[in-house]
């Protein structure tokens, strides 16, 4: 937490802590979905009984400034009532090709719910093909409560398919995958208790 505060106080002083959008670590299949400091990782607990089901990347800039990109080629859906969220369907999981997975992106709106999502993807967009690296929008601070916005970041998670062509409930960690091998970063809190996120080589993964 103190490292995150340090980063947010002066990102330029700690540029080496940031992951760069669009780049990949070693031979990982996904590119980084945005730039910034990975402040919270998969499995982090914010309160008793809670486990963080994704990763939070803090751009260190104002809302609406830090671009968010497709981490892999897929098919984008934005439900009609999604102000800050898109999801990408990946028909073939690059690490387990016989299953479909989903990439969930959220907090891409301002505190009042005005979207920072690209106009290419209006509410109601369904299964629109996007290449890896496609611009999706910008990091924001939308929380659902204008009086209590989140710090500006992207929440990104990998969600399991429900077996019927849709995605499972992203809010439960058991419906998500450890993103470490997909992004080539040490993103599993049980294996990285210090939370210092660095590139890993595939041999490091159990
Ligand atoms: Zn998060």
């Amino acid at each position: 937490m103190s490292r995150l505060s340090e980063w947010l106080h002066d990102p330029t002083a700690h540029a080496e802590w940031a992951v760069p959008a669009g780049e990949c670590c070693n031979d990982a299949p996904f590119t980084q979905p945005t730039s910034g400091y990975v402040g919270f990782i998969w499995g982090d607990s914010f309160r008793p009984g809670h486990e963080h089901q994704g990763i939070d990347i803090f751009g260190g800039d104002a809302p609406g400034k830090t671009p968010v990109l497709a981490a892999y080629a897929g098919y984008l859906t934005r439900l009609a009532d999604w102000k800050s969220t898109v999801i990408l369907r990946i028909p073939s999981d690059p690490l387990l090709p016989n299953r479909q997975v989903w990439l969930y992106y959220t907090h891409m709106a301002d505190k009042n719910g005005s979207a920072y999502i690209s106009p290419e993807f209006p509410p109601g967009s369904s299964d629109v093909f996007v290449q890896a690296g496609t611009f999706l929008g910008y990091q924001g601070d939308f929380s659902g409560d204008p009086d209590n916005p989140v710090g500006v970041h992207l929440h990104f998670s990998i969600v399991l398919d429900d077996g019927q062509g849709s995605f499972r409930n992203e809010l439960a960690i058991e419906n998500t995958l450890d993103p470490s091998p997909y992004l080539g970063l040490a993103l599993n809190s049980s294996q990285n208790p210090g939370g210092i996120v660095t590139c890993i080589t595939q041999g490091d993964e159990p």
Side-chain angles (χ1 to χ4, degrees):
M1 194 66 199
S2 63
R3 259 174 77 94
L4 175 58
S5 307
E6 263 187 79
W7 162 259
L8 293 173
H9 181 250
D10 188 1
T12 57
H14 305 286
E16 74 283 2
W17 292 0
V19 296
E23 294 191 13
C24 73
C25 277
N26 302 316
D27 293 327
F30 292 173
T31 53
Q32 307 308 325
T34 190
S35 297
Y37 176 69
V38 185
F40 297 104
I41 61 177
W42 193 73
D44 272 345
S45 187
F46 302 157
R47 56 186 178 273
H50 171 268
E51 285 179 293
H52 191 222
Q53 71 281 17
I55 61 171
D56 291 345
I57 306 175
F58 293 79
D61 209 336
K65 297 285 187 195
T66 306
V68 173
L69 309 177
Y72 199 72
Y75 296 85
L76 181 146
T77 286
R78 178 179 174 196
L79 300 184
D81 61 347
W82 279 2
K83 296 183 172 83
S84 78
T85 305
V86 299
I87 198 162
L88 261 60
R89 182 174 67 84
I90 311 297
S92 176
D93 177 343
L95 299 183
L96 203 58
N98 60 0
R99 71 175 173 189
Q100 174 161 284
V101 292
W102 300 76
L103 308 186
Y104 183 87
Y105 293 74
T106 196
H107 300 307
M108 292 190 289
D110 71 11
K111 63 182 180 176
N112 296 311
S114 181
Y116 293 130
I117 297 168
S118 166
E120 300 277 307
F121 312 116
S125 295
S126 177
D127 226 31
V128 180
F129 179 72
V130 294
Q131 289 285 5
T134 299
F135 170 75
L136 304 181
Y138 296 102
Q139 293 183 24
D141 58 356
F142 180 70
S143 70
D145 177 357
D147 296 327
N148 283 298
V150 294
V152 180
H153 72 281
L154 173 74
H155 171 95
F156 173 84
S157 62
I158 306 172
V159 185
L160 291 166
D161 193 83
D162 69 356
Q164 289 160 38
S166 191
F167 46 89
R168 294 194 202 173
N169 178 5
E170 193 268 343
L171 294 174
I173 193 168
E174 61 268 23
N175 291 337
T176 66
L177 294 168
D178 174 0
S180 305
Y182 293 89
L183 288 166
L185 293 165
L187 297 168
N188 184 330
S189 69
S190 67
Q191 290 158 26
N192 181 10
I196 308 283
V197 173
T198 53
C199 279
I200 48 175
T201 55
Q202 279 182 345
D204 292 344
E205 276 296 302

